[in-house]
C-alpha cells in the first residue's frame, strides 16, 4: 500500500465502483526466470489476492478478473491442464477466506466446457458466497466478449419466440439485461497488465465507457502500489460520455 494515499483518502466519486482487469504477463514473468509458464500462473495467484484486498480496502463494489479466455484453450495442452489444476486448487484454498471477507464470488463464462469436479467447485463457491456484499468478485473463465453478446442475443431471441419480448422492442436497453454482469454497474476502470494494449475479447459491451489503464508490470508483480497508480490515473480522467469538457465541468 502506498503510504501517501491511504485507503479512502480520495473523494468517493473519484474511486471507481467497478474495476475490471486483464491479468496478463504470467508466462513472460516465468520465462524471464527460466521457469515453465505454469510457474508464472501460480505466482499470479498472489496478485489476485492483492487485488481483492485492495478493492476491499478501497470499498470498490465490484472486481472483474479475466482468468481464462475462450481463446486460451488453444494453448499447449500441458499449459491448459496446469491452469485447470491451479483453478481447482485455488478454489479449495481461497473460497473460505474470500467468504470470511464477505466477498461474493461468481464465475462468468461458458462454464459447461469445464470438467465436472471444477464445475462443482465453482458452483459450490458461488452458492456459499452468494449472500455476501463486501465485494462482488467476478472471475471470467472460458469467457469471450463476443460469446457474451451472442448468448445475450440468443436469450433475447428465445424470449421473442416465447412471446415475452417484441422483436421491434430490442434495443440496447432491452438487450442489456441478457448480458453477463447486468446486475452490476459497468466497469469504470479497465486495467491491462503485461504491456499489451488490446482488449483480447474481454468485456466488449460492458466497457463501452470504461477508462483504460495500461501498465507494463507483469501480473505476478502487481501489488497494491501498482493498483493505486491505476486508481490515481483514473481519478485524473474527465469522463465526458460524448459531451464537451465544459459541459461536464459545469455539471460537476
Ligand atoms: C495471462 O498471462 C494469464 C492467462 C492468459 C491465463 P499469460 O499466460 O498470457 O502471460 P504472457 O502474456 O504469455 O506473458
Ligand atoms: C487475455 O490474455 C486473456 C486473459 C488474461 C485471461 P492473452 O494473453 O490470452 O491475450 P493475447 O493472446 O495476448 O491477446
Ligand atoms: Mg498473455
Amino acid at each position: 500500500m502506498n503510504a501517501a494515499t491511504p485507503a479512502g483518502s480520495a473523494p468517493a466519486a473519484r474511486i471507481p465502483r467497478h474495476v475490471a482487469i486483464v491479468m496478463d504477463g504470467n508466462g513472460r514473468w516465468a520465462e524471464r526466470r527460466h521457469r515453465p509458464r505454469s510457474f508464472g500462473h501460480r505466482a499470479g495467484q498472489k496478485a489476485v489476492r492483492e487485488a481483492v484486498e485492495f478493492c476491499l480496502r478501497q470499498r470498490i463494489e465490484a472486481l472483474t478478473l479475466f482468468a481464462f479466455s475462450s481463446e486460451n484453450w488453444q494453448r499447449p495442452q500441458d499449459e491448459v491442464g496446469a491452469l485447470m489444476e491451479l483453478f481447482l486448487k485455488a478454489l479449495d484454498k481461497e473460497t473460505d477466506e474470500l467468504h470470511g471477507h464477505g466477498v461474493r464470488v461468481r464465475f462468468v463464462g461458458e462454464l459447461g466446457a469445464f470438467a465436472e469436479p471444477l464445475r462443482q467447485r465453482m458452483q459450490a463457491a458461488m452458492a456459499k458466497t452468494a449472500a455476501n456484499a463486501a465485494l462482488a468478485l467476478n472471475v471470467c473463465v472460458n469467457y469471450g466478449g463476443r460469446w457474451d453478446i451472442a448468448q445475450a442475443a440468443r436469450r433475447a431471441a428465445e424470449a421473442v419466440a416465447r412471446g415475452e419480448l417484441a422483436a421491434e422492442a430490442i434495443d440496447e436497453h432491452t438487450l442489456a439485461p441478457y448480458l453477463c454482469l447486468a446486475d452490476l454497474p459497468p466497469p469504470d476502470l479497465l486495467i491491462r497488465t503485461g504491456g499489451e494494449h488490446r482488449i483480447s475479447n474481454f468485456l466488449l459491451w460492458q466497457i463501452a465507457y470504461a477508462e483504460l489503464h495500461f501498465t507494463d508490470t507483469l501480473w505476478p508483480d502487481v501489488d497494491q502500489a501498482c493498483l493505486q497508480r491505476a486508481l490515481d490515473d483514473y481519478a485524473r480522467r474527465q469522463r465526458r460520455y460524448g459531451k464537451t469538457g465544459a459541459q461536464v465541468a459545469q455539471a460537476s
Side-chain angles (χ1 to χ4, degrees), residues 21-25 28 37 66-69 71-72 75 140 192 196 198-200:
I21 308 182
V22 179
M23 310 185 287
D24 196 25
R28 281 164 285 162
R37 294 175 56 87
F66 203 7
F68 191 84
S69 76
E71 290 74 26
N72 288 148
R75 292 190 177 195
C140 294
R192 182 170 184 142
E196 309 295 353
R198 55 178 172 256
I199 301 300
S200 300

Side-chain angles (χ1 to χ4, degrees), residues 22-51:
V22 179
M23 310 185 287
D24 196 25
N26 294 350
R28 281 164 285 162
W29 187 92
E31 281 158 14
R32 282 179 198 175
R33 286 160 179 77
H34 308 288
R35 301 293 298 267
R37 294 175 56 87
S38 57
F39 182 68
H41 297 313
R42 277 202 302 281
Q45 253 187 289
K46 185 177 154 283
V48 171
R49 271 183 237 118
E50 291 265 324

Side-chain angles (χ1 to χ4, degrees), residues 50-232:
E50 291 265 324
V52 168
E53 204 180 296
F54 181 78
C55 289
L56 283 166
R57 281 203 209 170
Q58 294 285 356
R59 302 204 195 297
I60 288 166
E61 289 172 41
L63 172 65
T64 300
L65 301 174
F66 203 7
F68 191 84
S69 76
S70 317
E71 290 74 26
N72 288 148
W73 295 109
Q74 299 172 75
R75 292 190 177 195
Q77 230 180 345
D78 62 337
E79 182 171 346
V80 172
L83 277 165
M84 295 302 138
E85 202 174 307
L86 186 68
F87 292 153
L88 207 67
K89 281 195 184 143
L91 274 161
D92 286 343
K93 206 169 140 205
E94 312 284 351
T95 303
D96 285 347
E97 179 149 0
L98 289 168
H99 184 50
H101 284 105
V103 177
R104 183 188 72 186
V105 186
R106 269 197 304 198
F107 293 91
V108 178
E110 225 177 337
L111 305 186
F114 294 106
E116 191 55 29
L118 188 50
R119 238 165 46 203
Q120 271 175 10
R121 279 175 178 79
M122 288 181 189
Q123 295 297 350
M126 289 194 275
K128 184 168 189 168
T129 64
N132 293 341
L135 171 70
L137 172 64
N138 308 300
V139 183
C140 294
V141 285
N142 193 21
Y143 176 88
R146 289 176 178 167
W147 163 81
D148 192 355
I149 293 169
Q151 68 81 28
R154 185 176 58 246
R155 292 201 293 138
E158 285 163 4
V160 171
R162 287 194 304 269
E164 293 163 12
L165 180 67
E168 318 77 79
I170 295 181
D171 60 17
E172 60 191 86
H173 301 290
T174 49
L175 191 59
Y178 295 98
L179 280 126
C180 293
L181 312 179
D183 59 325
L184 294 169
D188 300 296
L189 171 64
L190 171 74
I191 301 169
R192 182 170 184 142
T193 67
E196 309 295 353
H197 294 186
R198 55 178 172 256
I199 301 300
S200 300
N201 199 18
F202 195 26
L203 312 159
L204 297 177
W205 175 287
Q206 297 87 342
I207 60 163
Y209 267 104
E211 297 297 326
L212 309 181
H213 176 88
F214 298 99
T215 170
D216 289 338
T217 306
L218 302 173
W219 178 249
D221 289 329
V222 167
D223 58 10
Q224 311 257 335
C226 179
L227 296 167
Q228 185 61 53
R229 282 195 292 278
L231 248 60
D232 292 345

